[in-house]
Amino acid sequence: MSDFKKSGMSRRGLLKAGAVGGLVAATPSFFIKDAWAEEFRNNPTNSGEVKLGFNVPQSGPYADEGADELRAYMLAVKHLNGEGDGGMLNTMKPSMLTGKGVLGKKVTYATGDTQTKSDAARASAKRMIEKDGVLMVTGGSSSGVAVAVQSLCQEQGIIFMAGLTHSNDTTGKDKRRYGFRHFFNAYMSGAALAPVLNKEYGSDRRAYHLTADYTWGWTQEESIKNSTEALGWETVNTVKTPVGAGDFSQYITPVLNSGADVLILNHYGKDMINSLSQAVQFGLRDKQVNGKNFEIVVPLFSRLMAQGAGDAIKGILGTTNWNWSLQDDGSKAFVQSFGAEYGAPPSMAAHTCYVQTLLYANACEMAGTFYPPEVIKQLEGFNFDGMGNGPTLYRAEDHQCFKDVLVVRGNENPSSQFDLLKVVDITPRAQVEYDWTIFGGELGPYEVKM
Amino acid sequence: MTNMKKPSFNDTMLILVFAAAILAMPLWLDPFGGNYPDLLQKFAIYGIFAIGFNILFGLTGYLSFGHAAFLGVGSYAAVWSFKLLTMNAIPAVIFGVLFAGLLAAIIGFLSLRRTGIYFSILTLAFAQMSYNLAYSVLTPITNGETGLQLARSDPRILDKLFSDGPASAGLPSTELFGETMSGYPGFYFCAVLLIIGFYISLRIFRSPFGLMLKGIKSNQNRMKYTGLNTRPYMLTAFIISGMYAGLAGSLLAVTDPLAGAERMQWTASGEVVLMTILGGAGTLVGPMLGAGLIKYFENIFSSFDDSVLQQAFSFLPDSVLEIVVPVVGLFVGSGWHLTLGLLFMIIVIFLPGGLVEGFRRIFNYFTSGGGKAETQSVEAHNQAGE
């Protein structure tokens, strides 16, 4: 610091410079306050491009999902700018996307690493908003992170298009006006899974839950518990496990002597890979309890996790938002262009992120402006199709998408290294809909003062 | 200790230069891409954290591996102050410092019975306990992994007393008598506290109390043989250091009202050790520099992706570019830890005194062989950086 002394600058000069510097630095915030009504944060009107912020976990227990999300985002940007084969731009209905950018502006992006931590995620979202000037933030592979970033985006007046987040809270008690979720939630998983569980395992079962200890785990445990108990199942015990624990043996051993005959793993990402592999290693699935085969259920399933868990997933039931084996036009178009680009089919995390980016771009086109309140109004109550899940509604009251839910089973005889999940049942949208008031919370205002 | 004779001029100069450099950060960080409020706030906040840590580690040589616990407690106390009392930043900061000081008194009282590695392990154990408490046991208070956040329905007793109007539609934001504490105003608030914190630390370094602590560092046994009970001094230093961490934690909450348990994790405790060693343990400005460097790496280096690299190296011919970009790409983006690790190794091996020693060497190199006046200024410099 004291090298300054050599430079021949006087103390007064330095003080002056400091004061002037402070003033200059503070100037933009003064101007923003008195600006005209449609002035908003990171307004791209005077620039030839519009920047989106992709905030994904590049390290931590959900890093695999994050990497795939980022691939999907880059593909979406390509398609929006008219490069590549266009993917779902050709199948989305209704669509105003032209493949010439958004509202005539070229789409660019900034990326950030959430590290699957709320603090780090908010820091990188702030960096993208304050430094890179992004107009919309999207991503995340953990509900804790999604909830934290969503409330930040509400404060900042930046639209947040949630990536993979499955907690009921994201569009329930922690919903925000500026936050939107295409992905399904724990309630829908429970509602879709229950009938299949009833059919496969009967109505007289004793369940043991291992639950990731944060918002997603809590709400999923609650939802699955409610829907299985409605079948007549009994819940023996629910145990919370820390995220990123690595070793779950201390949690699995007590299951053996608990008298339970079903283990429900409310885990995701590497946690699920570890806990499921260990449960299988401990011989849980070969056991007979109460005269029935011991079963394991993983309510939220993804192909990436199935890949990591290897043989352990064979025959395991779960739900998923989307699977690459679907045969509708939208899914086929997306799988084809993703495969051509990266040499592997997309995961459901990639799918939801890709779709969210397109939906945001389309809403801007429909609104004819990037002004967030107008874009939000276009997304609220938006009905669309051709994005891989059948007819879908963005419900205005809680910004949650409603669409069919897939119940899947780990494939016993996979035909390729990607053919790991077999769709058992497509639960129609009507069966997973619920009253938005049951989770409480409120969206907040359209206009955000800056 | 020549500075004891005429401390006023050099120290006043140092504090003024320091203040100017901190307040002008938006200016001189602009070319480095560091001029945006969130990063500036982080610089100031982690600067406070590192300066406080240095009072313990730099002066007494006691290496605490549990300082993140105080950071976390400060954050939780501040967010609860926002939830229960008022959105004003002042009470939040006061509560953050108080609670951290309290926890430091308890942990310090127990840990300071041992020295050296045992002390480090004890503090690490306490911090890990605090982390696990915050993470799973005390979830009603801390909201576990999800993190403690504000809600519209929070009581906020003081705010309700003074305003009868209907609550605004959105979440209230933290403020200081009407000025919102996000963005640049938040940075200047943190910067002012950093300068005050730096001044207090300077006074401690120059005080008899500071001398006593240095004495403990060089030979605690001898201090004891002279009939001095060193424990109260150690405990005071530990508590002061914990309060600095609490201040930093509460400021994290002031600039962004959210407190998560991961702030208390041992990696966060390790980070402040890295900052201090990187900058130069036991020097006044060193820890601050280390904090800045690490936060800069974490925020700027981690954001470089291949497209940024392509642009940066676009002057190279395409064939070279294809090799250079992937190789450099390993060290930026998600690989920023790798770069930081390398840098840390280089500094510890070649500059055990940290960045400050590096600056001093460069300075000496340029001024060696100079006249009498120059030698004096070197001396002044050494004192300043001491």
Side-chain angles (χ1 to χ4, degrees), chain A residues 402-416:
Chain A
F402 285 89
K403 51 196 163 19
D404 301 344
V405 173
L406 306 180
V407 179
V408 292
R409 185 199 296 278
N411 211 340
E412 301 276 4
N413 300 305
S415 60
S416 76

Side-chain angles (χ1 to χ4, degrees), chain B residues 266-344:
Chain B
W266 64 271
T267 46
S269 299
E271 201 180 50
V272 73
V273 179
L274 284 190
M275 287 171 181
T276 311
I277 294 176
L278 205 57
T283 62
L284 274 168
V285 289
M288 169 77 215
L289 291 179
L293 194 71
I294 287 190
K295 285 294 145 190
Y296 183 80
F297 266 75
E298 183 179 334
N299 288 282
I300 303 295
F301 260 62
S302 70
S303 71
F304 289 171
D305 47 33
D306 280 358
S307 60
V308 177
L309 289 179
Q310 298 269 3
Q311 262 174 10
F313 292 107
S314 54
F315 60 89
L316 293 170
D318 273 356
S319 53
V320 185
L321 194 72
E322 269 166 35
I323 304 166
V324 170
V325 168
V327 171
V328 179
L330 285 177
F331 292 88
V332 297
S334 49
W336 67 273
H337 279 114
L338 203 60
T339 321
L340 189 65
L342 281 177
L343 192 74
F344 188 73

Side-chain angles (χ1 to χ4, degrees), chain B residues 85-379:
Chain B
L85 297 174
T86 165
M87 292 307 289
N88 194 312
I90 303 283
V93 167
I94 292 172
F95 281 115
V97 173
L98 273 184
F99 275 93
L102 212 65
L103 184 71
I106 299 168
I107 294 185
F109 180 75
L110 296 169
S111 309
L112 286 169
R113 287 158 188 275
R114 292 287 172 269
T115 55
I117 186 88
Y118 302 103
F119 170 79
S120 302
I121 295 299
L122 273 175
T123 50
L124 178 64
F126 278 115
Q128 196 59 22
M129 270 163 62
S130 319
Y131 168 68
N132 280 326
L133 282 176
Y135 193 91
S136 46
V137 183
L138 297 176
T139 32
I141 302 177
T142 61
N143 205 19
E145 155 93 13
T146 318
L148 190 62
Q149 293 186 36
L150 301 178
R152 258 193 77 193
S153 51
D154 291 332
R156 272 186 277 280
I157 303 166
L158 291 179
D159 283 358
K160 294 241 166 81
L161 276 181
F162 294 112
S163 75
D164 315 318
S168 64
L171 270 179
S173 52
T174 54
E175 42 95 33
L176 185 73
F177 308 113
E179 187 69 64
T180 27
M181 281 291 103
S182 54
Y184 284 104
F187 161 66
Y188 286 112
F189 181 64
C190 299
V192 167
L193 286 174
L194 170 65
I195 293 164
I196 296 172
F198 180 74
Y199 179 73
I200 295 175
S201 140
L202 181 81
R203 297 314 309 164
I204 290 178
F205 267 66
R206 301 281 186 258
S207 68
F209 172 64
L211 268 181
M212 198 67 81
L213 296 178
K214 281 181 192 162
I216 292 173
K217 182 181 188 176
S218 55
N219 196 334
Q220 180 158 204
N221 280 334
R222 187 180 290 169
M223 300 285 283
K224 281 184 183 154
Y225 294 154
T226 56
L228 260 168
N229 183 4
T230 53
R231 281 276 295 285
Y233 291 98
M234 289 301 308
L235 189 60
T236 315
F238 193 82
I239 293 175
I240 292 174
S241 170
M243 285 165 89
Y244 268 88
L247 173 65
S250 63
L251 286 177
L252 280 177
V254 165
T255 51
D256 186 4
L258 170 126
E262 67 258 17
R263 264 177 213 170
M264 300 175 111
Q265 222 172 353
W266 64 271
T267 46
S269 299
E271 201 180 50
V272 73
V273 179
L274 284 190
M275 287 171 181
T276 311
I277 294 176
L278 205 57
T283 62
L284 274 168
V285 289
M288 169 77 215
L289 291 179
L293 194 71
I294 287 190
K295 285 294 145 190
Y296 183 80
F297 266 75
E298 183 179 334
N299 288 282
I300 303 295
F301 260 62
S302 70
S303 71
F304 289 171
D305 47 33
D306 280 358
S307 60
V308 177
L309 289 179
Q310 298 269 3
Q311 262 174 10
F313 292 107
S314 54
F315 60 89
L316 293 170
D318 273 356
S319 53
V320 185
L321 194 72
E322 269 166 35
I323 304 166
V324 170
V325 168
V327 171
V328 179
L330 285 177
F331 292 88
V332 297
S334 49
W336 67 273
H337 279 114
L338 203 60
T339 321
L340 189 65
L342 281 177
L343 192 74
F344 188 73
M345 275 165 51
I346 292 170
I347 286 192
V348 169
I349 293 171
F350 296 106
L351 294 170
L355 289 175
V356 168
E357 187 183 330
F359 288 134
R360 194 174 299 164
R361 281 195 196 172
I362 295 171
F363 193 82
N364 286 348
Y365 178 79
F366 281 115
T367 51
S368 59
K372 209 175 185 181
E374 308 257 309
T375 333
Q376 244 174 8
S377 104
V378 172
E379 216 174 74

Side-chain angles (χ1 to χ4, degrees), chain A residues 344-393:
Chain A
S347 64
M348 65 169 175
H351 170 255
T352 197
C353 290
Y354 178 87
V355 170
Q356 283 280 66
T357 315
L358 260 50
L359 283 172
Y360 171 79
N362 186 52
C364 292
E365 290 279 357
M366 282 172 20
T369 170
F370 291 107
Y371 182 50
E374 292 303 320
V375 178
I376 292 172
K377 282 172 192 156
Q378 293 300 330
L379 279 168
E380 289 179 338
F382 183 53
N383 269 301
F384 59 92
D385 197 358
M387 306 286 267
N389 301 96
T392 309
L393 163 71

Side-chain angles (χ1 to χ4, degrees), chain A residues 272-273 301-313 410 420-421:
Chain A
M272 176 266 172
I273 295 175
F301 228 161
S302 94
R303 200 205 79 238
L304 286 177
M305 285 157 32
Q307 225 162 312
D311 283 349
I313 56 114
L420 296 170
L421 300 180

